[in-house]
């Protein structure tokens, strides 16, 4: 996270302090103020991290090109973990004749960090009612090579474009809904030591649903399955719902008849799981 | 196959009938579905229009008038020794304006149910409001004797769930088991779009309906979730499916009943962080 301070740029300031002749705006001169780390996270919910910094002892201290630097400048704000690309807060500085001038600011990270790829790792089938549901664990890949730049970000699945069918379901007859994208959301780096990873995408029908299909469908109906276009988006622009798509691929689930196989695939055929005897 | 239609129309209404009066643009939504359980897709569409959850509790269809034979060759002709029959298909058409306040949503749902009755479709239903959620609950069904009989939905059964930290699907399973035991009808857990979430939950003599609604809020306070309790005549059981509405663009709430950072939540044998 520490590198992002270097690339932040001031987009907007209320009561821009440089309108005062006594102040030299420090925004564009921010250098590695400190390392910011995402706060405590609750899965699926964004957290935030607070920061404050103080600019003092300007050099030169005296008037320079008709501008006299303020003796100090304080910034206090927070960065929402959801997108990690926007800080909002307030600033204040002393006025030469006494008193304090203050205002609010918004800083946007520019350019934003968008994954250039996502690596899917097939982990295994789950347990209990989810014994027929496969788990996939994803690693976001940064263009910079950073292994932790996405920690604290939120990713969400959406329905993309492409083949979208469920041929186990008999529309209007069977009571299992069409297999669909749930618009699920994950916090990246939620598990310690897996900073650019999000854990886990559960893919497949649960055992009740698999057994239901095996009960009501004819043997000739198998294998049956579903394919969905999963588009992954990552939160940007603060915490207000803006997202950018960074990956799209198919999800495939398939089941055979009685005690046959259950198969789940996320992304490429090499990123799939199959289990027999369920 | 265009069997379900959601049409949104814009209608210009001249207020007061005077040309000089303000022109009010009023959006009208028309739902037109032809299905074996038309309330199910109709309520799915109404949720999209409302932007909020509406739960659905089906009726246990049993009279031949309310059933029809399955013609799809993929479905077994006989299941459990019984011929395969499903709820009678019907068409449901309703139109309503774009107001989405809670009273307006109730009015729209009652219009939907009035259209359902008018179409002579199986069973009868009522709208219920509780715990900040809306429910369409089955109240009557035609019995095997041909008479309409009163019905108490299994979701009205009071359940106990001991306090514990469990996944949502485990908690839903406990509620379904409790309903099955007390109600004498099997409730299967179908779609649950909550696989990994862990929540601390307890219910004491609470109706299954309200317990599940509360579970939704505690597991995912920022997300609208509803349930579809469908009676499946093929297996003579209810299938309890949960349905997650797409997230809104509003800022997500802070704080929840999730698990501490860095701690595996115990949902499965695979959740210990992998070594790299």
């Amino acid at each position: 996270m520490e590198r992002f301070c270097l690339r932040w740029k001031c987009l907007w300031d209320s009561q821009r302090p440089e309108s005062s002749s006594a102040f030299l705006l420090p925004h564009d001169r921010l250098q590695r103020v400190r390392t910011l780390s995402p706060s405590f996270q609750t899965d699926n919910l964004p957290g935030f991290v607070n920061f404050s910094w103080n600019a003092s002892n300007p050099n030169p201290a005296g008037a320079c090109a008709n501008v006299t630097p303020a003796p100090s400048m304080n910034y206090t704000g927070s960065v929402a973990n959801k997108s990690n690309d926007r800080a909002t807060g307030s600033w204040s500085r002393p006025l030469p004749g006494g008193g304090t001038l203050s205002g609010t600011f918004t800083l946007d990270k520019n350019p934003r960090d968008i994954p250039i790829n996502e690596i899917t790792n097939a982990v295994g089938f789950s347990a209990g009612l989810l014994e027929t549901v496969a788990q996939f664990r994803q690693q976001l890949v940064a263009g910079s090579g950073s292994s932790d730049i996405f920690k604290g970000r939120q990713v969400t699945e959406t329905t993309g474009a492409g083949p979208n069918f469920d041929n186990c379901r008999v529309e209007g007859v069977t009571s299992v809904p069409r297999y669909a994208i749930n618009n699920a959301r994950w916090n990246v780096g939620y598990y310690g030591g897996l900073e650019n990873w999000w854990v886990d995408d559960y893919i497949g029908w649960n055992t009740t649903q698999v057994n239901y299909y095996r009960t009501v469908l004819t043997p000739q109906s198998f294998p049956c399955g579903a394919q969905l276009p999963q588009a992954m988006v990552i939160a940007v622009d603060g915490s207000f719902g803006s997202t950018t798509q960074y990956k799209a691929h198919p999800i495939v689930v398939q089941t055979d008849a009685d005690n046959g196989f259950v198969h789940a695939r996320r992304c490429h055929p090499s990123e799939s799981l199959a289990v027999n005897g369920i | 196959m265009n069997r379900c239609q959601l049409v949104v129309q814009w209608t210009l209404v001249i207020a007061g009938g005077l040309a000089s009066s303000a022109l009010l643009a009023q959006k009208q939504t028309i739902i037109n579905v032809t299905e074996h359980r038309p309330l199910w897709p109709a309520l799915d569409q109404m949720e999209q229009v409302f932007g909020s959850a509406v739960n659905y509790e089906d009726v246990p269809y049993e009279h031949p008038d309310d059933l029809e034979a399955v013609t799809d060759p993929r479905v077994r002709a006989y299941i459990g020794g019984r011929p395969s029959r499903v709820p009678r298909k019907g068409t449901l058409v309703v139109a309503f304006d774009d107001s989405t306040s809670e009273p307006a949503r109730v009015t729209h749902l009652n219009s939907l149910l009035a259209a359902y009755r008018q179409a002579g479709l199986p069973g009868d239903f009522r709208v219920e409001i509780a715990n900040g959620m809306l429910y369409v609950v089955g109240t009557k069904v035609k019995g095997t004797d041909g008479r309409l009989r009163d019905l108490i939905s299994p979701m009205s059964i009071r359940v106990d769930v001991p306090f514990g930290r469990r996944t949502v699907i485990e908690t839903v399973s406990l509620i379904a088991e409790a309903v099955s035991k007390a109600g004498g009808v099997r409730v299967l857990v179908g779609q649950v779009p909550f696989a990994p979430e862990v929540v601390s939950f307890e219910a004491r003599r609470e109706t299954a309906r309200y317990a599940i609604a509360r579970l939704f809020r505690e597991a995912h306070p920022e997300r609208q979730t509803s349930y579809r309790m469908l009676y499946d005549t093929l297996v003579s059981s209810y299938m309890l499916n949960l349905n997650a509405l797409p997230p809104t663009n509003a800022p997500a709430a802070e704080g929840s009943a999730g698990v501490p950072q860095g701690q595996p939540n115990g949902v499965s044998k695979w959740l210990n962080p992998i070594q790299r």
Side-chain angles (χ1 to χ4, degrees):
Chain A
M1 289 281 292
E2 63 189 57
R3 281 177 296 281
F4 80 89
C5 292
L6 298 173
R7 297 198 299 260
W8 281 29
K9 183 181 177 187
C10 175
L11 290 188
W12 177 80
D13 248 330
S14 69
Q15 303 176 45
R16 283 183 73 94
E18 73 268 39
S19 61
S20 160
S21 62
F23 178 67
L24 184 63
L25 184 71
H27 285 154
D28 299 331
R29 303 186 177 185
L30 288 177
Q31 297 292 317
R32 192 171 189 156
V33 178
R34 55 173 292 191
T35 297
L36 297 180
S37 297
S39 64
F40 170 86
Q41 294 184 71
T42 297
D43 205 8
N44 298 293
L45 294 177
F48 59 92
V49 60
N50 294 323
F51 64 85
S52 64
W53 65 70
N54 174 263
S56 60
N57 299 321
N59 185 14
C64 176
N66 296 324
V67 174
T68 303
S72 66
M73 184 90 191
N74 292 300
Y75 281 76
T76 301
S78 65
V79 182
N81 282 356
K82 190 173 184 176
S83 66
N84 276 358
D85 63 355
R86 178 165 292 172
T88 55
S90 59
W91 59 265
S92 66
R93 68 172 179 82
L95 286 168
T100 302
L101 188 64
S102 62
T104 58
F105 68 87
T106 298
L107 295 172
D108 275 359
K109 187 180 185 191
N110 190 13
R112 303 176 183 124
D113 292 301
I114 306 298
I116 59 168
N117 195 13
E118 178 181 87
I119 299 169
T120 295
N121 298 273
V123 179
F125 280 86
S126 202
L129 202 57
L130 303 181
E131 194 180 7
T132 47
V133 176
Q135 291 178 227
F136 293 91
R137 195 161 294 176
Q138 282 61 239
Q139 182 182 18
L140 300 179
V141 179
S144 65
S146 167
S147 62
D148 63 0
I149 196 74
F150 298 113
K151 181 172 183 177
R153 300 281 292 273
Q154 283 195 334
V155 296
T156 304
E157 63 168 358
T158 62
T159 304
N164 188 334
F165 61 83
D166 178 348
N167 61 25
C168 290
R169 180 171 191 245
V170 181
E171 195 169 344
V173 174
T174 50
S175 57
V176 172
R178 180 190 175 96
Y179 194 74
I181 298 289
N182 290 322
N183 302 298
R185 181 182 290 168
W186 296 267
N187 282 9
V188 181
Y190 177 65
Y191 286 97
L194 297 171
E195 280 83 358
N196 272 359
W197 294 61
W198 56 271
V199 177
D200 273 334
D201 193 358
Y202 287 67
I203 295 176
W205 291 289
N206 67 36
T207 54
T208 301
Q209 294 169 305
V210 169
N211 289 334
Y212 173 80
Y213 281 134
R214 287 172 174 173
T215 301
V216 304
L217 299 185
T218 57
Q220 296 74 31
S221 303
F222 295 95
C224 68
Q227 180 171 334
L228 304 173
Q230 184 186 44
M232 297 303 305
V233 300
I234 190 164
V236 294
D237 295 344
S239 291
F240 292 90
S242 299
T243 57
T244 293
Q245 181 177 316
Y246 65 88
K247 186 125 192 285
H249 48 248
I251 279 178
V252 176
V253 294
Q254 199 176 33
T255 183
D256 205 342
D258 310 327
N259 291 319
F261 70 92
V262 173
H263 168 259
R265 169 158 77 88
R266 186 181 189 274
C267 208
H268 301 295
S270 60
E271 296 162 336
S272 67
L273 284 171
V275 64
N276 287 299
I278 290 184
Chain B
M1 195 163 16
N2 184 25
R3 296 197 301 160
C4 306
Q5 287 186 311
L6 175 66
V7 180
V8 177
Q9 294 180 338
W10 290 87
T11 309
L12 284 178
V13 180
I14 300 177
L18 299 172
S20 59
S21 299
L23 290 176
L24 305 175
Q26 192 172 57
K27 192 167 68 172
Q28 190 177 53
T29 299
I30 300 172
I31 288 177
N32 184 345
V33 294
T34 300
E35 266 286 5
H36 291 274
R37 299 175 188 86
L39 283 174
W40 176 13
L43 291 174
D44 285 350
Q45 294 180 20
M46 289 182 99
E47 281 185 335
Q48 288 178 32
V49 175
F50 294 168
S52 63
V54 183
N55 301 302
Y56 173 58
E57 298 172 21
D58 208 356
V59 295
Y61 311 90
E62 58 190 60
H63 192 273
D65 288 354
D66 289 345
L67 298 167
E68 65 183 47
V70 180
T71 54
D72 194 301
R74 288 173 293 170
V75 177
R76 290 178 192 259
Y78 284 84
I79 297 170
R82 298 180 308 276
S84 298
R85 298 172 74 81
V86 291
R88 176 164 50 86
K89 187 185 281 186
T91 297
L92 185 53
V93 183
V94 66
F96 53 92
D97 65 36
D98 62 348
S99 48
T100 56
S101 65
E102 185 174 276
R105 280 180 279 149
V106 172
T107 301
H108 300 333
L109 289 172
N110 278 318
S111 299
L112 177 73
L113 296 185
Y116 187 89
R117 285 178 205 114
Q118 181 128 18
L121 294 165
D124 199 9
F125 298 82
R126 67 176 154 79
V127 179
E128 188 170 321
I129 315 166
N131 288 342
M133 293 192 86
L134 292 168
Y135 306 80
V136 171
V137 178
T139 56
K140 291 178 192 295
V141 69
K142 190 183 272 191
T144 47
D145 61 359
R147 292 181 184 170
L148 212 55
R149 66 176 173 87
D150 290 334
L151 188 70
I152 296 175
S153 170
M155 296 300 277
S156 301
I157 290 170
R158 293 187 181 276
V159 296
D160 290 312
V161 176
F163 179 82
R165 284 183 63 77
R166 308 177 185 88
T167 61
V168 173
I169 196 166
E170 286 169 345
T171 311
V172 170
S173 297
L174 285 178
I175 294 171
E177 277 172 29
V179 170
S180 299
K181 268 186 196 167
V185 60
R186 198 162 51 138
V187 178
L188 304 171
V189 176
Q191 174 178 279
V192 179
F194 281 103
E197 285 92 334
V198 173
V199 64
S200 295
F201 189 83
E202 174 184 39
R204 292 186 182 196
R205 304 293 298 153
E206 190 173 11
T207 63
R209 180 180 301 134
Y210 300 161
I212 283 202
R214 187 164 56 81
L215 176 65
F216 292 164
R217 280 199 307 275
E218 293 182 13
H220 239 310
E222 63 175 310
R223 194 169 179 189
Q224 295 269 345
T225 307
S226 61
Y227 64 80
R228 304 279 179 260
M229 173 93 159
L230 306 172
Y231 188 75
D232 192 307
T233 52
L234 300 177
V235 292
S236 302
S237 304
Y238 282 96
M239 184 73 79
L240 180 58
N241 295 304
L242 310 190
N243 174 44
L245 275 66
T248 64
N249 285 339
E254 300 293 344
S256 95
V259 296
Q261 182 176 5
Q263 297 297 313
N265 63 18
V267 67
S268 80
K269 58 192 176 186
W270 299 110
L271 264 175
N272 290 324
I274 59 177
Q275 301 298 315
R276 287 188 295 161

